[in-house]
Each structure stands twice: as structure tokens, then as C-alpha cells.
Amino acid sequence: MRLYLKFLGIHVRSAMQYKSSFFATVFGQLLTSFSALLVIFFVTERYNEVGGFTYQQILLCASVVWAAFALSECFFRGFDMFPSMIGNGEFDRALLRPCNEIFLVLCSKLELTRLGRLIQAAMMLIYALPRCGVSWTLPRILVLVFMLLGGMAAFSGLFLIYAALSFFTLDGLEFMNIFTDGGREHGAYPFAVYGKPVLTLLTCIIPLACFQYWPLTWLLGQNNSLLCALAPAACFIFLIPCVLLWKFGLRHYKSTGS
């Protein structure tokens, strides 16, 4: 942890060398998220509710997904940029250091400007909490925090898969954006509105619904099963095959020779 905090301090000091640029980029990220919020507003304004969920309930859902994605992009950006690390030989140097390679990739890039999206998500969450129809108790607050942590784990696992596939090819990996950026955009609405096949895929294969839809139904009283409240745990289990795929790719990695 001490070493990670040192890396974090380096990235913060680097960003603060150009304060105007940093805060302008943060504000730009905030505006980008605000445009997505307007889409939700106009859709619910026209149809009153979507899939049985009101505007405030959708805001609760969207804020959790967007906050989880923003945190993953902020602190796990190194895996998203991993193909460039391989291409320029930086990963070869990382392998020579007496430290875990996952930790070094994790610390290689921190996208602090994504805090703009996190601010937007926090504002949405603050607005939705007292208006979404949930009677907030300590267990429900803990489940909400569990949803955020589970979402961060799920998106981070997807970034790790992206990085692991880079051991075999540096091209053609854009399909992963279906689950990362696509998961963020489509996660603005409960995944059940896209149909049962999509919900099944995002529950059993890519556990995005495990931190979004199922615990949301428990919070709203639509499902009283304790499994729904504990569903975000599947996101942490999802990290196990992600790490194994990384290890498999690392065993087959050949140096760039640079």
C-alpha cells in the first residue's frame, strides 16, 4: 500500500504541473456525462417510466454504474493502455523489476481526469437517494456500497481481460468496448429492459447485472431474496478467471526485443 501511495503521489504531482489543463479536462468529462443524463431525462419525461422503473430509480441505477466505471477508469487505466506498454517495450522493463507485474501495470497509468464523471455520478446519487422510494437502513446502505465496489471489480476485470488478450494480438480488441463502454452506456437503465437473453448473459457470463439489476430490485423491494442483495459478490469471483487468463497470457508472452 505504501508503494502504491507513492505512485499515486507521482501521478497527482504530474497532473498538477498543468493545473488549468487538468481542471478543464475534468470539467469536460463532467459535461460529457451530463449529456447522457439529459437523454435519461427526456426518455423518462416522455414515457414516465422505463421497464417499470421511475426516473429517480433509473438515476440511482445509472449513478452506481457510472461511478463504478469512473473509478475503474481512474485507477485501472493501466490495463486499458496495456497494448501500448507492450508495443513500446515498457512491459519488458516492468518484468525486470522485483514487483508483481499486475501491480506495476496498475500503477503505470492513473486517469485522474475521470473524476469529472465521478462527480457527475455522485450528484445524481445524492439527488436520487431520497426520491427513489427506498427506505434507507444500514443493510440497504451497505448493499449500495457493495454495488459500487462490485461494479468497480467487474469493470476492472474486463480491463484485465483486455490486457490479457493483448499478449496474443494488439489489433482487433475493440470488441471489448461492447462490455466496457457499452456496459457503462447501457447500464444507465436496468439490464432487464433489454430482454431476458441479455440479462442472462450479463448475469452468468459477464456479471454486470450482478452489481446493477439484481441488488437494485432488492433495494426497491421488488425481490426479497437475499441472493439478490449478495449478487455483487459474483463480481469479485469474476476477477479469478480474469487473473488466470492474465497468467496464461503472461506465460506465452515473448519480448518485443526493443
Side-chain angles (χ1 to χ4, degrees):
M1 179 57 70
R2 183 180 300 176
L3 182 58
Y4 180 79
L5 292 176
K6 288 185 178 180
F7 274 108
L8 179 60
I10 292 172
H11 285 287
V12 171
R13 289 192 296 271
S14 176
M16 290 299 101
Q17 293 299 311
Y18 303 95
K19 295 183 178 65
S20 298
S21 176
F22 173 78
F23 288 111
T25 306
V26 169
F27 184 68
Q29 292 292 328
L30 179 62
L31 290 181
T32 301
S33 298
F34 183 74
S35 63
L37 175 60
L38 288 179
V39 174
I40 298 176
F41 173 77
F42 288 124
V43 169
T44 52
E45 180 74 11
R46 174 66 176 83
Y47 298 103
N48 297 324
E49 61 180 37
V50 177
F53 294 90
T54 65
Y55 172 63
Q56 291 79 9
Q57 292 169 351
I58 292 174
L59 282 188
L60 175 64
C61 172
S63 62
V64 169
V65 174
W66 291 353
F69 188 83
L71 288 170
S72 297
E73 266 202 320
C74 183
F75 296 104
F76 290 83
R77 184 68 168 175
F79 296 109
D80 195 30
M81 304 296 294
F82 185 66
S84 63
M85 287 188 66
I86 292 181
N88 60 25
E90 185 178 349
F91 185 63
D92 290 348
R93 295 194 297 271
L95 290 176
L96 298 175
R97 296 167 183 167
C99 194
N100 182 271
E101 70 283 346
I102 292 181
F103 177 78
L104 291 174
V105 175
L106 176 69
C107 296
S108 65
K109 181 69 174 178
L110 294 177
E111 198 66 60
L112 299 177
T113 57
R114 293 302 189 269
L115 293 176
R117 295 183 180 182
L118 183 61
I119 293 171
Q120 172 69 46
M123 294 169 58
M124 292 167 53
L125 185 61
I126 292 172
Y127 174 81
L129 284 178
R131 299 174 176 85
C132 62
V134 177
S135 179
W136 293 103
T137 59
L138 180 59
R140 284 184 168 85
I141 294 173
L142 292 176
V143 168
L144 180 62
V145 174
F146 198 25
M147 291 168 65
L148 288 168
L149 295 177
M152 188 175 178
F155 283 120
S156 301
L158 290 172
F159 286 139
L160 186 56
I161 290 176
Y162 177 85
L165 294 177
S166 300
F167 286 121
F168 305 99
T169 176
L170 296 179
D171 298 317
L173 294 176
E174 292 300 319
F175 77 93
M176 286 298 299
N177 290 333
I178 298 174
F179 302 107
T180 52
D181 295 311
R184 177 198 63 202
E185 295 298 327
H186 291 87
Y189 303 93
F191 285 122
V193 304
Y194 303 113
K196 188 174 180 180
V198 173
L199 182 61
T200 301
L201 171 67
L202 298 180
T203 300
C204 301
I205 308 300
I206 307 296
L208 298 182
C210 291
F211 79 89
Q212 189 241 44
Y213 175 71
W214 296 113
L216 179 66
T217 60
W218 186 85
L219 288 178
L220 298 176
Q222 299 177 4
N223 194 323
N224 295 322
S225 174
L226 187 60
L227 289 177
C228 291
L230 299 177
C235 300
F236 296 96
I237 298 174
F238 176 65
L239 289 174
I240 297 176
C242 296
V243 173
L244 292 178
L245 180 61
W246 168 273
K247 294 294 185 182
F248 176 77
L250 185 61
R251 287 198 299 270
H252 293 78
Y253 173 67
K254 295 182 181 179
S255 171
T256 59
S258 58

